Amino acid sequence: MSQDFKSANSAKIGKVFFDARQNSNLSLEEISSRSLINIKYLKAIECGDYSDFPSEGFARAYFRKYAKFLNINIDFPAIYATENRKNKIIKDHYNKP
């Protein structure tokens, strides 16, 4: 995704993931191996930067999977504005030559 999908809130939520992983004494490599989540996406979640994900659905799915793995109950950050989604759909589907 080319847009900026990071906010102060998503960074705070990412810190919750980072702290939970540190408290579990697990490396990103260990979590990636055991959860089958690419390290790139684990890092993105921990940084609160969702621009590496190909779509919101993909980001949400890996967010939930990582939260379940770490046994934390946390909501996905509200970084995908409805207006941005609408504009992207219009741009991607209706402005093609």
Side-chain angles (χ1 to χ4, degrees):
M1 300 184 124
S2 60
Q3 292 178 300
D4 183 26
F5 289 109
K6 183 174 183 173
S7 68
N9 185 45
S10 67
K12 287 178 190 175
I13 290 171
K15 177 103 171 75
V16 172
F17 280 91
F18 176 82
D19 290 344
R21 178 174 62 81
Q22 292 292 308
N23 291 336
S24 298
N25 293 316
L26 294 169
S27 69
L28 286 170
E29 291 79 10
E30 290 171 311
I31 290 178
S32 178
S33 175
R34 291 168 57 186
S35 69
L36 302 178
I37 301 172
N38 187 304
I39 289 176
K40 173 175 128 176
Y41 299 130
L42 295 173
K43 287 180 181 179
I45 292 168
E46 288 188 2
C47 291
D49 184 357
Y50 294 84
S51 58
D52 281 340
F53 289 94
S55 70
E56 178 183 357
F58 197 85
R60 284 181 181 273
Y62 277 91
F63 180 94
R64 285 192 303 265
K65 186 174 183 178
Y66 193 16
K68 185 175 180 178
F69 182 88
L70 293 174
N71 198 28
I72 54 177
N73 185 14
I74 194 162
D75 291 328
F76 188 77
I79 52 170
Y80 292 90
T82 303
E83 192 63 30
N84 287 344
R85 279 190 249 150
K86 184 173 93 175
N87 290 340
K88 183 172 177 8
I89 290 169
I90 290 169
K91 180 182 167 194
D92 290 350
H93 298 288
Y94 296 106
N95 292 336
K96 291 184 179 177

